[in-house]
Amino acid sequence: MNIKNVVVIGSGTMGSGIAAHLCNANIPVTLLDLKTEISEKARERIHKSRPPLLIDKTKINNINVGNISDNFDVVKNADWIVEAVVERIDVKHQIYEKIFKSRKAGAIVSSNTSSIPIKVLSQNLTDIEKKDFCITHFFNPVRYMGLLEIVKNENNDLNKINQLKEFCETELGKGAIVCNDTPGFLGNRVGVYAMQIAMTEAFKMKLSVEEADAIFGRPMGIPKTGVFGLYDLIGIDLMADVLKSFIKELPETDEFHEVAKEIPLVKKLIETGYTGRKGKGGFYRMNKSGTTKVMEAINLETGVYSPSKKIDIKSDKVDLNGLINRKDEYGEYAWSVISKIIKYASSLVPGITNQFNDIDEAMRLGFNWAKGPFEMLEEIGVQNFFNKVDDFSGNNFLEELNKNKNEDFYGERQKYTNIETLGKVKKTAISLDGNDSAKIYRFQDYNIVEFTTKANALDYDSMDALKKATDKPLIIINESMQFSAGVNLTYTMQFADKNDFKSIEKFIKYFQETCKHLKYSKYPVISAPSGLTLGGGFEVMVQSNFVASHTNIVVGLVETIVGLIPAGGGCKEMLGRWLDTEQAKKDPNFAPLKVFDIIGYGKTATSPVEAEPLKYLRPQDKKIMNRNSLLEVSKKILNENKSFKEPEELVFKLPGESVRGEMNKIIEKLYNKKVILDHGVQVAKELAHVLSGGDTTIDKTLTEDDLFKLELDAFMRLIETKKTQERIKHTLATGKPLVN
Ligand code: NAD
């Protein structure tokens, strides 16, 4: 479809997010609001947004702004007009009247409504106008949330809807799911129900908010904000409005009503300004007294806050069966919540969609769940589920499944897209291998390694899987949010706590050996990162032969922040890249100083556009908007490199002592300005030692192994210090850096 020009009307949270994302896709876009000032403010907000809505902040001025009185003429040239004004039907109707008077024939008009049915939105439109009108429901924040629900009406030109879907997939990188005109469509209908069930069951079973969030979180493959944390994030008042709209729209017989009843504590929180993170706090609040900050959680029975407790459920894995079979209240809560979500979601088929697997995808893309309700059912096992579940009469889907007890009921995944996704391909592997930290999927011509730990943190087993999988061309790719947040620091600290530094050394050596193997084995290795690609995760990527990167990555070497230096080849590779520049050829200090600056500050990039100037990514690395396409692109790279030859080993000429002097001056300056403290100096000096090449001079040649050795020795000296260990422990406990 030829969409060359878009107008977005309404420049609030969603309108600005949509405009920013169109700008990410290099599509000319104009953002209109009641007054130009409002649109301009939106542009400022986009520029400052965190996480950034723009892939390339320098493109902010590509978003044109204006107001609907003076600048409405822009609509005449638009191929697509997106309405994202307030959720009020009178306002929306007025806007449509204006749009349809001005738009060029055939231009698509869509609404971003989250709750108004399309039949109501389009009630004043002519049949011809209806042909081009639909709902395009984006999720917040638009750049990062994969889901786009497209809702059609009975008059739509289906060809056009399909073209729009394809445009949103290929150009905007969205998982575009076409769904029926039912309240909350797919994602919110099931997602909000799930939140309500998780909340009401916690009240019923007298669990604490921390306990509920610890269960309805990572162990279920749900983001760690859990339910109460998510409520605070969305806004408790906004959730109340959402519930009201569901109550109004859904028939009385719908199970939703059971879980959407007003809860006195929630009402009181809203009335007293405890609307969540944007207000005074919510189920959690940060209590600041003087210089101390204490995270507190509310008691669901008394409404009194007390310091939040960390709940250790003694499992870090997504393991549904382990969870629901626990013989304690956590197991009981998990089963109650999961079984009710499965029952509700299945009761909606075929009403809200006749593809049950679209519901799973909506939960995955719109709520970042690892698995949707039907995949949960698949994991639990059909027989197991029916052995445990209570009444499900009237639920056609479950009644049918109970009759045939087909454990393979699921079939193909991700039916909503024609792209050959990792999710689909995984199911067709010839054999499955691997360990607790990574899976190896073996195919005829290539292997896939998918990391499987929390945040895909790397350990000995992750390396083992990578090494084993290089007997064929290898693609390192994953479905979960992060490519890898780096080396597993908990694992490393377990050895450090026992003074078992030999084991740490063994692990780092194995890490280096594996990365070297990735780079120089006779088959090509491709990394397809998305999300966090930090520290050790970056080192795996950078030592792969090819990269196919999603445009949403956070990439960098951040080891110094925890008092370490990159020791899996990160220093070496960054030196290699910066030595291969014109400036480095003229000035031997250029590359070491540049890399010292980048790694010393632990610089990260939040997109490929930011990553290239740092040389975290190279121009030839592929950058892809649609995460679903990472596998296809990786396979294409394999096809194009049938006669792959491993690269030549790098050699390094480094100035040694002379550049170290320069680095020491920088360290001293930072120390005097108190940017770094005593341990910061020690870490920086170790980094300087590695990047200067150690005891070398510019006329000598160092090999990659020499650099590996320098990295390893510096790393070991640092990990043995109390202060690095304190930094690591602090970061593990709080998620924040410790400056010491
Ligand atoms: P918002 O309140 O942040 O922004 C609405 C914008 O519309 C404001 O800038 C307002 O000035 C402008 N506006 C009001 N009347 C207008 C008019 N006549 N002409 C032009 N502009 C006008 O709202 P939002 O959160 O961005 O929501 C917008 C739409 O997206 C709503 O339909 C909402 O239901 C839907 N939605 C919101 C979210 C979310 O998370 N916020 C998610 C999905 C969908």
Side-chain angles (χ1 to χ4, degrees), residues 318-382:
V318 184
D319 173 11
L320 294 184
N321 279 312
L323 196 62
I324 62 176
N325 289 323
R326 281 172 75 117
K327 298 272 173 281
D328 60 9
E329 55 186 345
Y330 297 163
E332 209 181 304
Y333 173 72
W335 168 248
S336 182
V337 170
I338 293 176
S339 60
K340 288 190 168 75
I341 294 171
I342 293 173
K343 281 206 275 185
Y344 188 64
S346 54
S347 77
L348 302 174
V349 179
I352 66 169
T353 172
N354 44 22
Q355 288 294 358
F356 67 80
N357 106 19
D358 279 355
I359 296 179
D360 283 350
E361 295 310 322
M363 294 314 296
R364 209 194 272 290
L365 295 165
F367 283 77
N368 288 329
W369 286 19
K371 289 186 173 193
F374 297 89
E375 284 170 301
M376 289 183 174
L377 172 55
E378 188 189 32
E379 182 179 332
I380 291 168
V382 172

Side-chain angles (χ1 to χ4, degrees), residues 491-509:
Y491 166 82
T492 317
M493 278 314 289
Q494 277 163 4
F495 294 122
D497 281 341
K498 288 186 268 173
N499 275 328
D500 179 7
F501 295 105
K502 276 264 156 306
S503 293
I504 297 182
E505 188 172 359
K506 187 172 153 215
F507 167 55
I508 298 296
K509 276 190 177 155

